[in-house]
Amino acid sequence: MPGTLKNYYEILGVPRSATADQIRIAYRKLLLKFHPDKNVGDTYFEEWSKKINEAFEVLMNPEVRSEYDLVYDEARAASRPTAAVNKDAAEKTTPGEGRPAITVDASIQKLAPVYVSARQAYIKAARNVAAIEARLKVKRTNTVPHFISGGILILVILVWVGVSNKHLLEKLLAAPSSVVDQASVLPLRPKLQQAQTPVTAERDTEQVPINLRLRVVAAKAYFFEEPGGAVLDDKFLSKGNKIHALKRAGNFYYGVFQSAVNSSYKIEGWLKTEDVEILAQ
């Protein structure tokens, strides 16, 4: 075919009505003959190998092939009347009167291969997107069973730890009850109660080092300068954010929040224990 639009049927040596099997057989035969590995350094065989692969990809894709046939037929039909006009003009023109006229179908022939290639790339991209969406759907479907099995495994581990340390749990559960019973039987004197009041306050504000990962469960978790003190310039975190807790004092955690998006953004201060929950280590 004239111009830049290639005749893929002619390259593979098959008729316009060739089936997919006929195209595949012709492709294999030509590829064995013109494969560049058998003719290393020969640019002729390399170019023909590229042409054969290009023709095979276009003709084996039904959508791209139909688009190619349509463009091919339009370009061929447009070139026929133009060729006749150019022939008559050439016969009437004497040598040296001027350059031959530009054919009307030149732009069509130049754009046709670009259109076919773009259409082919679009179809491949659409198929890749569909495949990715299918994999994501399968992954989401498989997440629920994994979550359930993980929860069951954690429950089994907790039960096993509880059974293995049954005597330790009994001691821990028995210790508070004995103190309560003793306090109810032998109440403290008024002076003794007054003397112990400051000790309780010191324990509530005593800062104990910890290393925990917390998650905000309140709609807004505010940071304080000190346990029960003023709010730090109205700074807070919304529900779902994670914090690294370093200390605890009474009903407050001293936490540090570091933004994963902006490393320079950092908040630290005291938060209420009721606004957060401890994540599993």
Side-chain angles (χ1 to χ4, degrees):
M1 178 181 178
T4 57
L5 185 60
K6 301 175 184 177
N7 189 335
Y8 293 132
Y9 296 101
E10 188 178 58
I11 291 174
L12 295 181
V14 295
R16 179 74 173 272
S17 60
T19 63
D21 290 336
Q22 291 174 334
I23 294 173
R24 189 179 292 104
I25 293 171
Y27 166 74
R28 290 175 179 173
K29 289 181 179 179
L30 290 174
L31 195 62
L32 289 175
K33 180 179 179 181
F34 291 96
H35 200 284
D37 290 346
K38 295 183 178 180
N39 304 275
V40 179
D42 195 325
T43 57
Y44 173 78
F45 286 92
E46 291 181 0
E47 292 297 327
W48 263 101
S49 179
K50 293 178 181 178
K51 292 179 182 180
I52 293 167
N53 285 321
E54 181 181 351
F56 179 74
E57 290 180 2
V58 172
L59 299 184
M60 284 301 293
N61 190 316
E63 297 181 15
V64 179
R65 181 178 179 180
S66 62
E67 295 284 350
Y68 168 76
D69 290 342
L70 180 61
V71 175
Y72 181 85
D73 290 340
E74 290 178 355
R76 188 174 183 181
S79 66
R80 289 175 180 173
T82 306
V85 172
N86 291 339
K87 183 177 180 182
D88 294 339
E91 292 176 354
K92 295 177 181 180
T93 303
T94 58
E97 288 186 355
R99 297 180 179 178
I102 300 175
T103 58
V104 178
D105 65 324
S107 59
I108 298 176
Q109 294 175 1
K110 290 180 180 179
L111 293 176
V114 178
Y115 173 76
V116 173
S117 299
R119 180 65 178 173
Q120 186 179 10
Y122 168 78
I123 294 173
K124 289 182 179 179
R127 289 179 178 176
N128 292 335
V129 171
I132 292 172
E133 291 178 349
R135 288 197 296 269
L136 290 176
K137 185 177 181 181
V138 173
K139 187 176 180 179
R140 287 194 295 268
T141 305
N142 296 333
T143 301
V144 176
H146 289 312
F147 179 78
I148 295 174
S149 60
I152 295 174
L153 179 60
I154 293 174
L155 180 61
V156 171
I157 293 174
L158 291 176
V159 172
W160 178 79
V161 171
V163 173
S164 303
N165 300 277
K166 183 178 180 182
H167 62 286
L168 181 59
L169 291 174
E170 291 177 351
K171 289 182 180 180
L172 293 175
L173 294 174
S177 62
S178 62
V179 174
V180 172
D181 293 339
Q182 183 178 4
S184 61
V185 175
L186 300 173
L188 297 173
R189 296 178 182 179
K191 293 183 179 180
L192 185 58
Q193 290 176 352
Q194 293 177 359
Q196 290 187 352
T197 299
V199 177
T200 304
E202 290 177 0
R203 289 180 179 176
D204 289 342
T205 59
E206 182 182 358
Q207 298 182 10
V208 180
I210 58 175
N211 185 14
L212 297 174
R213 294 289 295 174
L214 308 177
R215 177 170 51 203
V216 177
V217 295
K220 290 183 178 180
Y222 289 90
F223 285 82
F224 297 85
E225 293 181 356
E226 57 185 13
V231 177
L232 281 172
D233 299 330
D234 196 27
K235 292 183 179 179
F236 64 87
L237 293 177
S238 56
K239 186 176 182 180
N241 281 296
K242 297 178 181 180
I243 308 164
H244 185 199
L246 304 176
K247 295 181 288 187
R248 176 168 181 170
N251 295 329
F252 287 85
Y253 288 113
Y254 185 84
V256 178
F257 171 77
Q258 181 72 49
S259 173
V261 179
N262 184 4
S263 59
S264 62
Y265 184 73
K266 181 179 180 181
I267 309 176
E268 55 182 312
W270 294 92
L271 301 103
K272 295 180 180 179
T273 56
E274 61 189 28
D275 292 341
V276 296
E277 66 177 1
I278 300 175
L279 295 175
Q281 297 298 315

